[in-house]
Amino acid sequence: MKKKDSKNYLDYVPVKNPEVEYETGDDGIVTVYIEWKGFYHRIAQKFFKRPRVSDVKLDGYGSFVWLAIDDVKDVHQLSKELDAKYPKMEKSLSRLIKFLEILHDNHLIRWKGEKTK
C-alpha cells in the first residue's frame, strides 16, 4: 500500500529566490521580473520573438503576500497577516497555500531548509 505524503504547509517558511528581481509601484503593486534561461527558452526567444525577461504584475493579495515574505515567517503567520489585512477574503488559507505553491513551482521562492537544485 502506498504511503500518503502529507505536507503541513503551516510550518513551512517561504524564502524569496535572491536571483529574482522585483519592484513595488507607487500603488503597492509588485512586479516580478522572470529571466528565461536555458536551451529551449533561447530557441523560443530567437525564432518566436519571446522576451528574455517577462514582467509579472501581482494583484493586491499577491503583492501583500510577496512583501510579507521575510524568510522568517511561516505560512501560518502569513495567513494570520493576510486575514488581518483582508478580513472578508473567502478561503484565505487555501488561496495562500496555492499561491505559494505556484511561486515555488516557478522557482520564485523555496522552502527554508529545502535543498537547492
Side-chain angles (χ1 to χ4, degrees):
M1 188 175 224
K2 261 185 151 177
K3 199 176 192 184
K4 188 173 183 180
D5 183 30
S6 63
K7 299 176 182 180
N8 186 359
Y9 280 106
L10 294 179
D11 296 331
Y12 285 24
V13 177
V15 177
K16 291 177 189 167
N17 182 344
E19 296 177 4
V20 174
E21 294 182 23
Y22 68 94
E23 65 182 27
T24 307
D26 294 336
D27 55 358
I29 298 298
V30 173
T31 303
V32 180
Y33 298 99
I34 302 170
E35 184 177 0
W36 301 105
K37 303 176 189 175
F39 177 73
Y40 294 109
H41 293 294
R42 280 194 296 270
I43 290 174
Q45 291 163 16
K46 186 171 184 163
F47 294 109
F48 301 113
K49 307 296 185 218
R50 296 286 182 181
R52 188 180 63 78
V53 177
S54 294
D55 57 330
V56 179
K57 279 191 185 272
L58 302 178
D59 64 357
Y61 301 128
S63 295
F64 177 80
V65 171
W66 181 264
L67 295 173
I69 294 174
D70 63 359
D71 307 346
V72 176
K73 296 177 195 152
D74 60 18
V75 175
H76 180 68
Q77 291 169 317
L78 290 174
S79 73
K80 289 166 90 175
E81 287 184 16
L82 187 64
D83 286 340
K85 175 80 174 172
Y86 300 101
K88 296 188 187 285
M89 178 189 251
E90 292 184 30
K91 301 180 183 179
S92 63
L93 181 60
S94 61
R95 288 177 70 177
L96 173 63
I97 290 172
K98 187 63 181 171
F99 178 67
L100 292 173
E101 284 177 338
I102 292 168
L103 292 178
H104 184 265
D105 291 345
N106 288 291
H107 308 290
L108 299 176
I109 65 165
R110 65 175 178 82
W111 303 117
K112 193 172 208 167
E114 179 180 50
K115 294 179 183 177
T116 55
K117 296 175 185 174

